[in-house]
Amino acid sequence: MHAEYAIIGGTGVYDPAMLQDAERHTIETPYGTAEVTLGTYAGKRVAFMPRHGYKHSVAPHKINYRANIRALKQLGVHTVLATAAVGSLKKELAPGDLVLVNDFLDMTKSRPHTFYEGAPEGVVHIDMTDAYCSRTRGHLAKVAASQNIKVVDGGVYVTTEGPRFETPAEIRLYAAWGGDVVGMTSVPEVILAKEAEMCYATVAMVTNYCTGISAHPLTHQEVVDTMKENVQKIRELFFHAIECDHGERTCACPHALAELGSL
Ligand code: HPA
């Protein structure tokens, strides 16, 4: 079993459409098991992983992020393209817009954030200057332009603990702090991917305006419906990006653990 690329599907992205010879596998890791579908696209081996399970049965704070990322590492994945449904903190980011996230604020509370909890693995203080791989983001931006897919290049993803939506006061705070979009899953996924020395990028889909900005109360159905209407844009973007990637990892991601020695 082997894959070079992974697509992590968030809310509304549960099927590995476009993969040839797709086969489901359960991967055992030291942190528990992870579900993936392995297949081929344009001659490249791709792992598809539905973050919340194939039926959206795992809440954001209960996702086994370590098992998921470790499973991808064990498969040999070097590049992860993740989707995420997010609320917008700004009028100018409207439902249906895509944002290439370039930084995060972490408001999570109960999730393991590291593979390195002390002996025997050691302790790691991973650098977050370029949390979302800027080389992969640049590649996605270029591919999006070539496909006439509009993306906003750069945005700060506020990760909340969930599973509840935010209060209006929280949303005012996150906007004042410089957040652009709000979701429940990017942290710790992005951190663990960096610890695993993988290139990781997120294309966030704005599915709604956040609480207090939106004219009506939020529902999960609104998130799912907007995602469904627009998901084809993300699929096209990711599969083209995989097809056109030549795998030269000139960024710092492959050496993120240089101080410690690799996983
Ligand atoms: N808040 C948090 N997570 C979300 C939202 C939101 O408004 N929309 C989609 N995921």
Side-chain angles (χ1 to χ4, degrees):
M1 273 191 286
H2 175 73
E4 304 154 87
Y5 297 87
I7 293 174
I8 300 184
T11 298
V13 188
Y14 310 118
D15 78 83
M18 296 166 83
L19 278 188
Q20 289 139 14
D21 306 321
E23 274 184 7
R24 273 201 202 184
H25 294 275
T26 301
I27 313 286
E28 309 277 342
T29 81
Y31 302 96
T33 59
E35 301 288 329
V36 292
T37 301
L38 297 178
T40 303
Y41 184 77
K44 312 225 166 121
R45 293 294 293 163
V46 180
F48 174 81
M49 178 175 269
R51 186 186 285 121
H52 297 271
Y54 289 101
K55 297 197 171 123
H56 200 99
S57 55
V58 189
H61 63 299
K62 292 286 187 190
I63 291 168
N64 192 338
Y65 295 95
R66 289 195 295 191
N68 286 354
I69 295 296
R70 178 56 73 89
L72 297 181
K73 183 72 182 173
Q74 287 173 199
L75 287 167
V77 167
H78 56 68
T79 299
V80 180
L81 306 177
T83 72
V86 293
S88 167
L89 288 163
K90 297 179 157 173
K91 273 279 173 226
E92 56 272 30
L93 288 176
D97 284 353
L98 300 182
V99 182
L100 257 172
V101 176
N102 74 330
D103 208 343
F104 68 77
L105 289 168
D106 177 12
M107 301 303 294
T108 65
K109 298 184 172 121
S110 71
R111 313 169 181 193
H113 281 193
T114 180
F115 291 115
Y116 295 92
E117 305 208 288
E121 294 89 358
V123 174
V124 165
H125 303 286
I126 199 87
D127 178 48
M128 289 282 104
T129 307
D130 190 40
Y132 300 85
C133 172
S134 51
R135 185 189 59 80
T136 305
R137 281 193 285 118
H139 179 59
L140 285 166
K142 229 189 254 170
V143 172
S146 77
Q147 298 296 313
N148 269 330
I149 299 171
K150 190 183 142 227
V151 293
V152 176
D153 194 358
V156 175
Y157 181 128
V158 182
T159 309
T160 63
E161 181 67 2
R164 68 171 174 83
F165 287 123
E166 302 71 41
T167 65
E170 286 169 332
I171 291 303
R172 287 195 296 274
L173 180 72
Y174 301 154
W177 278 354
D180 295 298
V181 294
V182 182
M184 302 177 190
T185 55
S186 201
V187 174
E189 199 170 85
V190 58
I191 302 169
L192 294 166
K194 187 70 84 188
E195 284 190 353
E197 299 188 324
M198 297 193 284
C199 296
Y200 177 99
T202 293
V203 174
M205 154 114 23
V206 176
T207 54
N208 56 279
Y209 285 114
C210 284
T211 318
I213 300 173
S214 174
H216 51 265
L218 294 188
T219 63
H220 181 63
Q221 196 57 45
E222 173 182 358
V223 171
V224 172
D225 289 346
T226 313
M227 200 73 197
K228 218 186 244 168
E229 282 164 29
N230 294 283
V231 69
Q232 194 53 26
K233 286 194 288 192
I234 300 190
R235 283 215 181 98
E236 277 173 32
L237 174 55
F238 280 3
F239 281 101
H240 273 105
I242 289 171
E243 187 173 4
C244 307
D245 186 50
H246 301 301
E248 244 195 275
R249 299 179 71 207
T250 49
C251 48
C253 305
H255 317 292
L257 288 180
E259 271 185 314
L260 185 91
S262 291
L263 263 184

